[in-house]
C-alpha cells in the first residue's frame, strides 16, 4: 500500500479515537491530514476521501462550526452517491450527519427529511434491528423532541434503546445515550420520577466506559441536575452543574455551546434558589459569549434572553426585562415555529410582566394564546398516553391552569378573564377520564380484531393485578411484592398507551371543540331553564412573587372558585375562599349523614353557608343546576344541604357532572340497548365460625410484622372470613324491578358472579345490588351493603395500601366467603374470584347503556384528585361509556335502599329524566324516613334525559 495512504489511515484512526474520547481539538488536525493525504493519492472523488470529509464535518458540528461542517458533508454526500449509489449505508451515514447539522442550525423540516431518508436506507440495507438503525431512530426522535412532538419521539427512543441493549448489552455507551435521551423527554414533560433513574443509569455507564471527565458524562450530570432543580432540590443540583461545567470547559473550551449551556443552567438554578446576585453576572457572561460566537445557536441565545428577562422581572425591573422577552419570543418563533410548546412559556412570561405593570389588557391576549398552544400540545400528547401517564402530564400543566384562576380572583368583573378561566376549566377538568373514555369508545366501535385482542390482554392484565393486590404478598417479601405490583402496572401502561396510539387517528376526528368555541358550545347545550356551576379547587400562588423568594418557596394556598355559565353564554364568577374550612365542613357534613347523627342539620347549614349560600346571587332565579364539583365537595349530596328552613332538594334540581363538557352532545351512532340486567343477592356461601369482633362490629386482628401484611390480613378477614350477611332487600329489589321491567334478566344467587358481570354485552340498564367497598378506615354497620376495614392493634399505615384507588374500590359478588379452613391449613381463597375491583370494571363495554345503578355502599366514593375527579368506581364506570351513573356516598341501609330504588324506577317508567326521577324518589322516601342518611345517599352523574330504550308505563 502507498505510504501516504498508510499515513492517512493512521491519522484517520487516531482522529476517530480522539473524537470518541471527546478530545475534539486534538482530533481536528489529524482528520484534516487524512483528507489531504487521501486526496493527493486517490483524487477528489474516492469514498475514502468522503469518509475523511465526513469525520472532519462531524468534528465541526461538535465544535459548533456549522458553516464549514455543511460544506464538508455536502461534498462527502456527493462523492458517496456518485461512487456507491444512493442507497448505500455510507450515504445514509452522511445524510444522518447533515440532518444533525440542520437540526442544530434550526432547520427542522430539512432535518426530518434527511433523517427519514437515512433511516429508510439503513432499514433496507441492514434490517430493522441493526445498531445503525438504532442510531437513526435516536436522532429522529431527538429532532421530534426539540420540536415538541413528544408523542412521536418516545416510541422511537424506546425502540432505539431496545435495539442497542440487545446488540451491545446494558452497559454500552450507546445504551447510555438512549437512556439519557429518553430521560430528557420525560424531564420535558415534568415526569421527574421517571427521568431520574434513567439519568442516574446513563451517568454510571458513561463514567465506567468513558471516564469521569468525558463530555458525555458532563451531559448526564447537567441533565440530572435539572431534574433535581425541577424538584426544588437545589443543593443536590448545584454540585452536579458545577462538575458538568468544569468538564465541558476543559474538554470543549469556554465558548462551546455545551459549556455555555452549563453556565446558563447554573444561573437558572441560582435564580430559582433566590440568589439573584449570583445569577445575573453568569447570565450576562452567557449572553456575551453566545452573541460573539461565529456560529450562534439561536436556541441558546433565545433561552439566555428569556432567562435574563425573568431575572429582571423577578426584581421588578420591567423596563429592562420587556425588550429581552420580546427578542427571545421573536427568535423562538422564527427557529422553533409559532406553535412550539416553548412559545407558550415565552408568552406567559411576557404576560406576567404586563400584569406586574397593571396592564391586564396587554396580558390577556398573551395568556389566551399561551393557553391555546398548551391545549394543542395536550391534544397531541394525549393521543399516545396511558391513563396514568396522562394524569401526570396534566399535573405538569396544572400550574399554568391555576394561574388563570388566580388572575380571575384578582379580576372577577372582567368578562374576558372569566371566559378564559372557564375555558380552561371546561377543557382540563376531568380531562384524563375524557381521553380514556374516548379511547374505550373507539376501541369498541371502530377498531379491528387485532386492536380488541390488545384490549383483552389489558383486561386480563388488570385481573391479574387485582388478584395479586387482593391476595396479598403471600410468601413474597414486601419489596418483591411491590415490585411485582409495579411490573403489572407498568405492563398495563404499555398496553394502554399502545391502544391510545392505535385509536389516535379516529379519536382526532371527534376532538373537543377548539378553545375559542368551548364556552359557546357548552352554553348552547344547556337547557333554557338551567345553568352550569363549575366548582374548582386550585392552588393559588402570587402572580408576582416577592423578590428573592426561591421558586420552591413561593407560598401556595388552596381555594375554591365558582364559575357559572348560562344558556345565553354569559358568565359569573365568585371566590369562595380558602379550601380548608370548606373541606372540613364537607367532611363533617358527610360523616354526620353517614353516621345518622341526630345533629346533622348543624353540619348541613354550616356547609350551606360556606359553599352554596354565596352562590345564590350568581344563580339568580335558576333552580336547575348542572353541578361539576371538585375536591371534597365531590363527596357530598348538595340536595341535603339545609338553609335553616328547608333542604336544597326542595328548591333545586342538581345534576352531577365531572365537567361542563359532559353536556356536549355525544355521537349518535350507538343506539341504546333495550335489555335490562339486574345483578342482586349474590350467594356468599356457607358462613364459617364468626371471628372475634370489635365493639363497632368490624373485625380486629392481631398485629403483624409488616403494616402491608396487616392490611391484606384485614382485607382477607373482612371479606373471606367475615360472615357476610345476606341482603334480602337486594333480592326484593331485583324482583320488584322485574315486575316493573318484565324483560329484565335477573342474575342472583350463584349467578350474581364476577364472571357473568365482566362478560356482559352492553345492556340498556345495568342494576347491581350487593355489598360495595371503598377501603378506608370506616367500619360497616349491621344491615348495610358495605365492607368495613378496621385497623389492628399497633396501627396500619394507609400508605401501605394499594396505591391505585381503583384497586381499593369494588363490589362483592357470589362466593365472597372462603370455605372453613382445615386444621393447619394456612392458605386463603383468592379474593379475586368474587371481588370485582373498579380497575376491572373499567374494561366493561357499556356503550349503548343508558343507566348504571350501583345500589351498594360507597360506590360514589374514592380518592379525590383535584381537577380530575374521584378515583374509584365512579371513574371506572364513566370510562365504560355509561350515560348516567347512580351511586352512593356512604353505607346505605338495605331496606330503605330497596324502597328508594323501586320508587326511582317507577318514576323512570313514567317518562321522567334519570336525574329528576331520583330527586322525586328522594322526596317520596323522606316522608317516611326524614333523616337524610336514608333518602340522600345517592347522586346521579351524567345525563338527565328520559330513558330512550325503555317504553314508559301507560298513565
Amino acid at each position: 500500500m502507498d505510504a501516504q495512504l498508510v499515513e492517512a489511515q493512521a491519522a484517520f484512526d487516531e482522529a476517530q479515537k480522539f473524537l470518541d474520547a471527546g478530545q475534539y481539538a486534538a482530533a481536528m488536525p489529524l482528520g484534516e491530514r487524512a483528507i489531504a493525504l487521501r486526496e493527493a493519492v486517490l483524487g477528489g472523488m474516492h469514498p475514502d476521501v468522503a469518509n475523511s470529509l465526513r469525520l472532519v464535518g462531524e468534528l465541526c458540528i461538535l465544535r459548533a462550526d456549522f458553516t464549514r461542517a455543511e460544506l464538508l458533508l455536502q461534498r462527502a454526500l456527493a462523492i458517496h452517491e456518485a461512487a456507491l449509489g444512493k442507497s448505500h449505508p455510507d450515504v445514509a451515514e452522511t445524510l444522518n450527519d447533515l440532518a444533525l447539522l440542520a437540526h442544530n442550525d434550526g432547520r427542522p423540516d430539512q432535518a426530518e427529511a434527511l433523517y427519514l431518508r437515512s433511516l429508510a436506507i439503513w432499514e433496507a440495507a441492514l434490517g430493522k434491528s441493526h445498531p445503525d438503525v438504532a442510531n437513526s431512530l435516536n436522532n429522529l426522535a431527538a429532532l421530534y423532541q426539540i420540536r415538541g412532538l413528544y408523542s412521536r419521539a418516545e416510541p422511537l427512543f424506546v425502540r432505539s434503546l431496545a435495539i442497542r441493549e440487545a446488540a451491545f448489552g446494558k452497559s454500552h455507551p450507546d445504551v447510555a445515550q438512549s437512556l439519557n435521551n429518553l430521560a430528557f423527554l420525560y424531564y420535558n414533560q415534568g415526569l421527574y420520577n421517571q427521568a431520574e433513574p434513567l439519568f442516574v443509569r446513563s451517568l454510571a455507564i458513561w463514567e465506567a466506559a468513558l471516564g469521569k471527565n468525558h463530555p458525555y458524562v458532563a451531559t448526564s450530570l447537567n441533565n440530572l441536575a435539572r431534574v433535581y432543580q425541577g424538584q426544588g432540590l437545589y443543593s443536590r443540583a448545584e454540585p452536579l452543574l458545577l462538575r458538568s461545567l468544569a468538564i465541558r470547559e476543559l474538554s470543549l473550551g469556554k465558548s462551546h455551546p455545551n459549556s455555555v449551556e452549563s453556565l446558563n443552567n447554573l444561573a437558572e438554578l441560582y435564580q430559582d434558589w433566590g440568589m439573584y446576585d449570583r445569577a445575573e453576572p453568569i447570565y450576562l457572561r452567557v449572553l456575551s459569549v453566545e452573541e460573539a460566537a461565529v456560529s450562534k445557536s439561536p436556541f441558546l441565545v433565545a433561552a439566555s434572553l428569556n432567562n435574563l428577562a425573568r431575572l429582571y422581572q423577578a426584581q421588578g425591573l420591567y423596563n429592562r426585562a420587556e425588550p429581552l422577552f420580546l427578542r427571545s419570543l421573536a427568535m423562538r418563533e422564527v427557529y422553533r415555529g409559532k406553535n412550539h410548546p416553548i412559545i407558550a412559556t415565552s408568552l406567559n412570561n411576557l404576560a406576567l410582566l404586563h400584569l406586574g405593570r397593571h396592564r391586564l389588557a396587554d396580558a390577556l391576549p398573551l395568556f389566551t394564546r399561551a393557553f391555546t398552544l398548551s391545549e394543542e400540545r395536550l391534544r397531541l400528547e394525549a393521543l399516545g398516553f396511558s391513563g396514568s401517564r396522562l394524569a401526570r402530564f396534566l399535573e405538569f400543566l396544572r400550574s399554568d391552569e391555576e394561574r388563570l384562576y388566580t388572575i380571575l380572583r384578582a379580576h372577577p368583573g372582567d368578562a374576558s378573564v372569566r371566559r378564559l378561566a372557564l375555558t380552561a376549566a371546561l377543557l382540563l377538568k376531568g380531562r384524563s377520564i375524557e381521553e380514556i373514555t374516548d379511547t374505550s369508545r373507539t376501541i369498541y366501535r371502530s377498531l379491528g380484531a387485532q386492536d380488541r385482542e390488545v384490549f383483552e390482554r389489558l383486561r386480563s392484565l388488570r385481573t391479574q393485578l387485582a388478584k395479586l393486590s387482593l391476595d396479598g404478598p403471600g410468601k413474597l417479601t414486601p419489596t418483591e411484592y411491590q415490585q411485582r405490583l409495579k411490573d403489572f402496572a407498568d405492563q398495563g401502561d404499555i398496553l394502554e398507551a399502545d391502544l391510545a396510539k392505535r385509536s389516535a387517528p379516529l379519536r382526532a376526528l371527534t376532538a373537543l371543540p377548539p378553545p375559542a368555541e368551548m364556552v359557546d358550545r357548552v352554553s348552547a347545550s344547556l337547557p333554557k331553564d338551567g345553568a352550569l356551576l363549575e366548582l374548582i379547587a386550585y392552588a393559588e400562588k402570587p402572580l408576582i412573587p416577592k423578590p428573592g423568594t426561591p421558586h420552591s418557596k413561593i407560598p401556595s394556598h388552596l381555594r375554591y372558585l365558582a364559575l357559572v355559565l348560562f344558556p345565553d353564554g354569559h358568565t359569573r364568577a365568585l371566590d369562595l375562599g380558602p379550601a380548608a374550612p370548606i373541606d372540613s365542613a364537607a367532611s363533617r357534613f358527610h360523616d354526620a349523614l353517614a353516621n345518622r347523627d341526630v345533629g346533622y342539620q348543624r353540619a348541613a347549614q354550616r356547609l350551606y353557608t360556606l359553599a352554596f349560600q354565596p352562590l345564590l346571587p350568581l344563580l339568580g332565579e335558576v333552580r336547575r343546576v348542572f353541578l361539576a364539583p371538585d375536591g371534597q365537595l365531590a363527596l357530598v349530596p348538595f340536595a341535603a344541604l339545609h338553609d335553616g328552613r328547608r333542604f336544597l332538594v326542595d328548591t333545586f334540581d342538581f345534576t352531577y357532572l365531572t365537567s361542563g363538557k359532559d353536556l356536549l352532545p355525544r355521537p349518535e351512532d350507538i343506539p341504546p340497548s333495550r335489555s335490562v340486567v339486574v345483578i342482586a343477592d349474590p350467594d356468599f356461601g356457607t358462613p364459617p365460625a364468626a371471628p372475634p369482633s370489635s365493639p363497632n362490629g368490624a373485625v380486629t386482628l392481631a398485629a403483624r410484622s409488616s403494616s402491608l401484611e396487616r392490611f391484606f390480613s384485614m382485607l382477607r378477614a373482612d371479606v373471606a372470613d367475615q360472615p357476610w350477611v345476606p341482603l334480602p332487600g337486594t333480592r326484593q329489589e331485583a324482583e320488584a324491578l322485574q315486575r316493573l321491567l318484565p324483560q329484565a334478566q335477573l342474575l342472583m344467587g350463584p349467578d350474581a358472579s364476577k364472571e357473568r358481570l365482566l362478560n356482559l354485552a352492553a345492556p340498556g340498564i345495568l342494576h347491581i345490588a350487593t355489598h360495595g367497598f371503598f377501603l378506608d378506615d370506616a367500619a360497616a354497620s349491621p344491615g348495610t351493603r358495605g365492607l368495613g376495614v378496621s385497623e389492628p392493634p399497633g396501627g396500619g399505615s394507609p400508605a401501605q395500601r394499594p396505591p391505585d384507588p381503583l384497586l381499593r374500590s369494588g363490589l362483592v359478588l357470589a362466593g365472597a366467603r372462603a370455605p372453613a379452613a382445615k386444621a393447619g391449613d394456612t392458605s386463603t381463597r383468592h379474593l379475586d374470584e368474587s371481588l370485582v375491583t373498579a380497575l376491572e370494571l373499567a374494561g366493561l363495554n357499556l356503550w349503548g347503556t343508558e343507566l348504571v345503578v350501583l345500589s351498594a355502599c360507597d360506590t360514589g366514593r374514592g380518592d379525590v384528585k383535584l381537577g380530575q375527579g374521584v378515583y374509584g368506581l365512579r371513574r371506572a364506570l364513566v370510562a365504560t361509556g355509561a350515560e348516567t351513573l347512580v351511586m352512593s356516598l356512604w353505607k346505605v341501609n338495605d331496606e330503605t335502599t330497596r324502597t328508594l330504588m323501586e320508587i326511582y324506577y317507577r318514576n323512570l317508567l313514567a317518562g321522567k329524566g334519570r336525574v329528576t326521577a331520583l330527586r322525586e324518589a328522594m322526596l317520596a322516601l323522606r316522608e317516611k324516613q326524614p333523616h337524610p342518611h336514608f333518602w340522600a345517599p345517592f347522586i346521579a352523574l351524567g345525563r338527565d334525559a328520559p330513558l330512550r330504550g325503555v317504553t314508559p308505563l301507560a298513565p
Side-chain angles (χ1 to χ4, degrees):
M1 180 181 291
D2 187 283
Q4 286 184 298
L5 292 181
V6 173
E7 182 184 352
Q9 185 65 48
F12 182 91
D13 293 342
E14 194 70 14
Q16 186 68 57
K17 288 180 182 178
F18 280 129
L19 187 153
D20 293 340
Q23 298 178 38
Y24 309 137
M28 181 61 77
L30 293 167
E32 291 174 333
R33 178 66 175 159
I35 294 174
L37 290 169
R38 283 174 169 172
E39 281 185 322
V41 177
L42 303 172
M45 295 298 292
H46 193 279
D48 284 351
V49 174
N51 291 336
S52 298
L53 290 167
R54 187 177 65 219
L55 174 66
V56 177
E58 290 174 355
L59 284 166
C60 288
I61 293 175
L62 292 167
R63 301 183 71 183
D65 187 353
F66 300 145
T67 301
R68 186 176 182 221
E70 186 154 21
L71 293 172
L72 293 168
L73 291 171
Q74 287 288 5
R75 187 180 163 204
L77 177 64
I79 296 171
H80 276 140
E81 287 182 333
L84 305 173
K86 293 188 176 182
S87 299
H88 192 277
D90 282 358
V91 172
E93 191 165 349
T94 308
L95 288 168
N96 181 79
D97 289 340
L98 280 166
L100 180 63
L101 174 64
H103 178 177
N104 287 335
D105 201 31
R107 291 173 280 153
D109 292 338
Q110 182 181 348
E112 181 180 13
L114 291 166
Y115 277 139
L116 288 171
R117 185 181 162 198
S118 172
L119 176 61
I121 294 171
W122 265 320
E123 286 187 329
L126 306 174
K128 293 190 175 183
S129 298
H130 193 276
D132 286 346
V133 171
N135 183 56
S136 189
L137 290 167
N138 177 80
N139 293 339
L140 180 59
L143 174 68
Y144 288 144
Q145 173 170 298
I146 202 168
R147 295 176 70 181
L149 304 174
Y150 302 130
S151 61
R152 295 174 69 177
E154 184 180 10
L156 301 182
F157 277 140
V158 170
R159 185 180 158 201
S160 173
L161 174 61
I163 293 172
R164 286 172 167 176
E165 286 186 329
F168 303 133
K170 295 191 174 184
S171 299
H172 192 275
D174 285 0
V175 171
Q177 182 193 45
S178 288
L179 290 167
N180 177 82
N181 291 347
L182 183 59
F184 197 67
L185 178 79
Y186 293 147
Y187 165 81
N188 281 331
Q189 295 172 311
L191 304 173
Y192 301 136
N193 289 336
Q194 287 182 250
E196 181 185 2
L198 300 182
F199 279 140
V200 169
R201 187 179 157 201
S202 72
L203 174 61
I205 294 171
W206 270 331
E207 284 186 327
L210 306 176
K212 294 192 174 184
N213 294 315
H214 193 278
Y216 288 174
V217 171
T219 296
S220 204
L221 290 165
N222 177 80
N223 293 341
L224 184 57
R226 295 179 75 173
V227 169
Y228 293 144
Q229 181 179 345
Q231 295 172 315
L233 304 173
Y234 305 136
S235 60
R236 294 184 68 179
E238 184 186 26
L240 300 181
L241 282 176
L242 289 171
R243 186 179 159 204
S244 171
L245 175 63
I247 294 171
R248 284 175 162 176
E249 288 187 336
L250 180 64
S251 59
L252 305 175
K254 292 187 176 182
S255 299
H256 191 277
N258 288 1
S259 301
V260 175
E261 180 195 29
S262 287
L263 267 178
N264 181 77
N265 291 344
L266 184 63
E268 196 171 356
L269 171 71
Y270 290 142
Q271 179 175 335
D272 286 352
W273 212 341
M275 300 178 180
Y276 299 158
D277 57 332
R278 299 178 70 176
E280 183 179 13
I282 300 177
Y283 278 142
L284 291 171
R285 177 185 163 196
V286 165
L287 197 56
S288 174
V289 171
E290 287 172 348
E291 295 193 320
V294 174
S295 298
K296 298 181 179 65
S297 169
F299 309 125
L300 289 177
V301 173
S304 296
L305 290 167
N306 179 79
N307 291 340
L308 184 57
R310 284 180 56 242
L311 180 68
Y312 291 147
Q313 178 186 23
Q315 296 171 297
L317 304 174
Y318 301 131
N319 289 334
R320 299 177 69 179
E322 185 171 7
L324 300 178
F325 274 141
L326 290 170
R327 274 187 67 195
S328 174
L329 174 60
M331 292 184 70
R332 283 174 166 173
E333 287 182 330
V334 169
Y335 291 101
R336 300 279 196 179
K338 292 190 175 183
N339 295 322
H340 191 281
I342 205 167
I343 303 299
T345 301
S346 286
L347 292 167
N348 279 322
N349 288 340
L350 187 56
L352 285 170
L353 182 141
H354 289 319
L355 279 187
R357 290 173 147 179
H358 308 289
R359 298 191 326 212
L360 177 64
D362 293 328
L364 197 56
L366 300 174
F367 281 128
T368 301
R369 185 181 161 203
F371 177 76
T372 301
L373 290 177
S374 179
E375 172 63 21
E376 289 173 356
R377 175 188 182 185
L378 175 57
R379 292 186 187 205
L380 186 64
E381 296 298 322
L383 292 174
F385 278 173
S386 67
S388 61
R389 176 77 172 277
L390 178 59
R392 292 193 296 273
F393 189 58
L394 286 165
E395 185 62 29
F396 176 59
L397 300 177
R398 179 76 170 164
S399 60
D400 288 343
E401 176 192 357
E402 291 177 323
R403 183 188 295 123
L404 299 179
Y405 303 143
T406 302
I407 294 170
L408 177 58
R409 185 185 171 216
H411 303 278
D414 191 297
S416 297
V417 175
R418 292 199 303 271
R419 186 179 182 86
L420 178 57
L422 180 56
T423 299
L426 291 173
L427 283 168
L428 297 176
K429 198 174 176 190
R431 184 61 169 274
S432 57
I433 189 62
E434 172 86 14
E435 298 292 343
I436 293 169
T437 303
D438 284 350
T439 301
S440 167
R441 182 184 182 281
T442 305
I443 289 166
Y444 279 117
R445 303 300 303 174
S446 306
L447 298 186
Q450 182 181 0
D451 306 296
R452 293 197 183 94
E453 180 184 349
V454 175
F455 190 66
E456 289 304 315
R457 285 166 51 202
L458 176 60
R459 289 185 64 181
S460 174
L461 190 66
R462 286 170 170 171
T463 298
Q464 294 177 65
L465 178 56
K467 171 182 170 60
L468 183 63
S469 296
L470 295 171
D471 286 348
K475 296 180 180 180
L476 297 173
T477 67
T479 300
E480 292 171 336
Y481 178 70
Q482 289 297 333
Q483 185 60 49
R484 188 78 60 84
L485 288 174
K486 182 179 182 302
D487 290 343
F488 276 129
D490 289 346
Q491 292 173 45
D493 273 356
I494 291 170
L495 289 176
E496 272 193 78
D498 184 31
L499 287 168
K501 292 183 180 74
R502 289 170 182 266
S503 65
L506 293 171
R507 288 163 57 208
L509 298 176
T510 58
L512 289 165
E517 299 177 15
M518 193 67 188
V519 171
D520 293 336
R521 296 277 286 273
V522 172
S523 66
S525 302
L526 282 164
K528 297 303 180 184
D529 61 343
L532 169 66
L533 173 57
E534 287 279 1
L535 296 175
I536 301 162
Y538 72 103
E540 181 192 47
K541 293 183 178 180
L543 296 170
I544 311 297
K546 182 180 178 181
T549 305
H551 186 75
S552 63
K553 299 295 184 182
I554 295 174
S556 173
H557 306 284
L558 280 177
R559 301 185 72 85
Y560 274 104
L561 167 69
L563 276 162
V564 181
L565 175 65
F566 296 91
D568 63 1
H570 82 273
T571 59
R572 293 175 180 168
L574 181 69
D575 171 51
L576 288 174
I582 294 175
D583 286 344
S584 177
S587 295
R588 287 198 296 270
F589 174 56
H590 175 276
D591 292 347
L593 268 56
N595 297 327
R596 287 179 280 178
D597 288 356
V598 175
Y600 70 87
Q601 190 168 318
R602 179 180 299 174
Q605 288 182 236
R606 172 64 175 164
L607 185 57
Y608 168 82
T609 301
L610 289 173
F612 198 81
Q613 187 178 35
L615 302 176
L616 295 178
L618 276 67
L619 293 169
E621 299 301 317
V622 171
R623 291 296 176 265
R624 188 176 182 190
V625 179
F626 293 84
L627 177 63
D630 201 357
Q632 294 302 312
L633 293 177
L635 299 177
V636 297
F638 275 66
L641 294 178
H642 203 281
D643 65 6
R645 295 175 299 166
R646 62 178 71 89
F647 292 102
L648 291 191
V649 70
D650 295 317
T651 51
F652 286 91
D653 191 354
F654 293 104
T655 298
Y656 286 80
L657 308 170
T658 302
S659 157
K661 63 178 166 288
D662 295 348
L663 292 166
L664 294 172
R666 283 187 172 198
E668 295 294 333
D669 60 341
I670 305 176
S673 170
R674 293 186 174 275
S675 64
V676 178
V677 174
V678 180
I679 299 176
D681 191 25
D683 180 4
F684 298 134
T686 305
S693 295
S694 62
N696 64 6
V699 179
T700 302
L701 305 182
R704 302 285 180 90
S705 59
S706 161
S707 57
L708 184 65
E709 292 174 355
R710 285 201 298 271
F711 167 70
F712 284 107
S713 295
M714 289 186 291
L715 181 57
R716 284 191 289 272
D718 276 327
V719 179
D721 300 332
Q722 176 172 299
W724 279 95
V725 294
L727 295 170
T730 66
R731 175 171 287 273
Q732 296 166 18
E733 188 175 305
E735 292 168 345
L737 296 187
Q738 192 176 48
R739 288 192 293 271
L740 294 170
L741 298 162
Q743 75 271 35
Q745 177 188 9
L746 268 55
L747 300 176
M748 298 194 294
D751 291 329
S753 67
K754 175 176 178 177
E755 182 181 7
R756 295 293 295 271
L757 172 58
L758 293 182
N759 287 285
L760 280 179
I765 298 173
L766 174 60
H767 186 101
I768 305 175
T770 183
H771 289 291
F773 65 90
F774 172 66
L775 297 180
D776 66 356
D777 296 334
S781 301
T784 67
R785 301 179 180 182
L787 160 66
V789 177
S790 63
E791 299 291 1
S797 170
Q800 295 295 333
R801 296 173 182 165
D804 189 345
L806 271 64
L807 288 170
R808 291 186 276 115
S809 309
L811 301 168
V812 187
L813 296 172
R817 184 184 295 110
K822 299 177 182 179
D825 184 3
T826 59
S827 64
T828 59
R829 200 179 63 52
H830 292 308
L831 299 180
D832 67 285
E833 295 173 13
S834 52
L835 264 65
V836 58
T837 64
L839 185 67
E840 295 167 283
L841 289 171
L844 287 173
N845 174 14
L846 297 183
W847 292 98
T849 299
E850 295 188 81
L851 177 65
V852 173
V853 178
L854 300 180
S855 184
C857 291
D858 294 324
T859 52
R861 296 183 63 208
D863 280 1
V864 173
K865 309 289 186 183
L866 296 186
Q868 296 306 316
V870 180
Y871 280 53
L873 281 168
R874 81 163 76 175
R875 179 178 177 86
L877 270 298
V878 167
T880 64
E883 291 181 10
T884 305
L885 176 61
V886 174
M887 55 200 169
S888 63
L889 296 173
W890 54 78
K891 293 176 175 37
V892 297
N893 179 272
D894 187 35
E895 177 60 28
T896 57
T897 297
R898 178 192 65 78
T899 303
L900 178 70
M901 290 301 165
E902 185 172 351
I903 301 171
Y904 177 50
Y905 277 90
R906 288 187 182 277
N907 292 339
L908 289 172
L909 291 171
K912 295 178 180 177
R914 283 164 258 181
V915 177
T916 302
L918 180 62
R919 175 176 177 266
E920 295 190 7
M922 292 161 61
L923 291 170
L925 182 60
R926 193 179 70 181
E927 294 180 3
K928 298 179 181 179
Q929 294 284 356
H931 197 293
H933 169 84
F934 298 102
W935 60 262
F938 287 92
I939 61 172
L941 178 74
R943 298 189 63 181
D944 180 35
L947 294 171
R948 308 186 304 282
V950 174
T951 304
L953 293 173

